[in-house]
Amino acid sequence: MFGYALRRVLTAIPIVLITITVCFFILRLAPGGPFDGERALPPDVMKNLRAHYNLDQPLISQYFIYLGGVFRGDFGPSMVMEDFSVSRLISIGLPFTLMLGFSAFVVGTVAGMIAGAVAAVQQNKWPDYLLVAIVLIGIIIPNFLMANLVQLFFGVYLRWLPVGGYQPGSIAHLVLPVLILSLPHGGRVARLVRGSMIEVLGTNYVRTARSKGLGTRLILARHALKPALLPVVSYLGPGLSYLLTGSLVVEQVFALPGIGKYFISAALNRDYGLVLGTTILYVFIILALNLIVDVLYAWLDPKVRYR
């Protein structure tokens, strides 16, 4: 298992390099720049700024300068937010983004597993149809639209929950963002659990357990749940990475102090360093989560062995 993990890490290095290269040149070749504004800067000021951020160097030289900094763990300074480095901005926003993403991950995973198991047990009955309809609504409607709808309903009309902002320690400010993030994730988990559970409940060893007089709850807990979770585990890694990256839009809609605020502002203002630093961070998160999922898959299924 250790050798497999090491090979996966070595395989991930070219992926990270390709991602950095593609993003770097796309950002540099796109129209506009970090110092373009409605009012043009004096030529001397622009020249000094470009020299300070190495923008006066040839493009290939800028690439190798940035790549050398990344290998040293330095993502460079922010070109828009003065006196802030990219690493500093990421360290400010990342804890909140991780907290929001993991909260939605836990809520969506638990709710999806319960909904999928209930729908499988009650197959082709009204609970199954109701849960499938709720799941489809959560998957089909985009996050930004659903966020505006719940803000309008629960925040403006009913005034039960705040529509935006965040106060440290306040759970009320997290209810709507976590709900919006967890809906599509929980819907996908529910669909996977439902389909897998229906297949497992039709196997011979489950029929044998029923013939011995075991109850439905005991059959689900002892015989059906673990094999039914295999497709879910395969999805959890990409699902968590989707929640962490999808939280960028939700953070912007609800005005939350996560990485999303910095990332979207950096993309609009052509802050090359912050956009690249955030992209590299998410690539590392996705690769790490996929590795963890592979290890969990081997634990759940004894037939899976990595050599």
Side-chain angles (χ1 to χ4, degrees):
M1 186 65 69
F2 176 76
Y4 171 77
L6 180 60
R7 288 195 299 272
R8 285 293 301 269
V9 171
L10 294 176
T11 306
I13 294 177
I15 298 176
V16 176
L17 287 175
I18 293 172
T19 303
I20 295 174
T21 303
V22 172
C23 292
F24 181 90
F25 286 102
I26 287 177
L27 286 172
R28 291 300 199 278
L29 296 175
F35 310 119
D36 296 340
E38 296 180 0
R39 183 177 180 180
L41 295 173
D44 292 340
V45 175
M46 178 65 76
K47 181 179 179 180
N48 291 333
L49 284 173
R50 291 180 62 85
H52 177 70
Y53 293 106
N54 297 315
L55 296 179
D56 58 341
Q57 302 286 333
L59 191 58
I60 191 67
S61 299
Q62 296 179 38
Y63 170 72
F64 284 111
I65 291 173
Y66 181 78
L67 199 62
V70 171
F71 286 147
R72 296 192 304 269
D74 180 15
F75 294 117
S78 171
M79 298 181 183
V80 175
M81 299 184 184
E82 190 177 356
D83 298 329
F84 278 94
S85 66
V86 174
S87 300
R88 175 60 179 162
L89 291 173
I90 289 177
S91 66
I92 293 173
L94 182 60
F96 184 87
T97 298
L98 291 178
M99 182 267 293
L100 181 64
F102 277 108
S103 299
F105 176 77
V106 172
V107 172
T109 301
V110 173
M113 289 173 59
I114 295 174
V118 172
V121 174
Q122 301 292 329
Q123 184 183 8
N124 297 329
K125 298 180 181 178
W126 71 264
D128 183 22
Y129 297 138
L130 177 62
L131 290 172
V132 169
I134 295 174
V135 165
L136 288 177
I137 291 174
I139 294 176
I140 292 173
I141 300 180
N143 276 348
F144 62 89
L145 178 59
M146 183 66 76
N148 290 323
L149 291 176
V150 299
Q151 281 179 325
L152 184 64
F153 185 73
F154 292 105
V156 178
Y157 292 156
L158 298 180
R159 297 183 179 180
W160 288 354
L161 296 166
V163 297
Y166 177 69
Q167 296 178 359
S170 174
I171 298 179
H173 286 81
L174 295 175
V175 173
L176 292 182
V178 170
L179 174 65
I180 296 303
L181 276 177
S182 61
L183 269 177
H185 174 71
R188 294 183 181 93
V189 171
R191 291 180 63 186
L192 289 172
V193 172
R194 180 183 180 275
S196 181
M197 185 72 74
I198 290 174
E199 182 179 352
V200 171
L201 291 177
T203 55
N204 292 329
Y205 64 88
V206 172
R207 294 195 187 99
T208 302
R210 283 176 176 169
S211 65
K212 292 180 179 180
L214 294 180
T216 302
R217 293 182 181 178
L218 198 58
I219 291 175
L220 291 176
R222 287 188 179 180
H223 302 284
L225 186 58
K226 190 173 178 179
L229 288 181
L230 289 175
V232 180
V233 171
S234 300
Y235 167 74
L236 288 183
L240 180 55
S241 62
Y242 167 80
L243 287 176
L244 294 176
T245 53
S247 66
L248 300 180
V249 177
V250 174
E251 288 171 7
Q252 186 71 10
V253 173
F254 288 96
L256 299 174
I259 294 181
K261 177 177 66 175
Y262 301 121
F263 180 79
I264 294 177
S265 175
L268 294 175
N269 295 311
R270 296 294 192 274
D271 192 343
Y272 300 142
L274 187 52
V275 173
L276 278 169
T278 308
T279 303
I280 295 169
L281 172 67
Y282 280 118
V283 169
F284 274 111
I285 290 175
I286 292 171
L287 293 174
L289 290 175
N290 286 334
L291 176 60
I292 294 172
V293 166
D294 287 343
V295 174
L296 288 177
Y297 202 91
W299 174 74
L300 282 172
D301 189 354
K303 294 182 292 184
V304 176
R305 287 296 177 267
Y306 300 108
R307 296 188 185 278

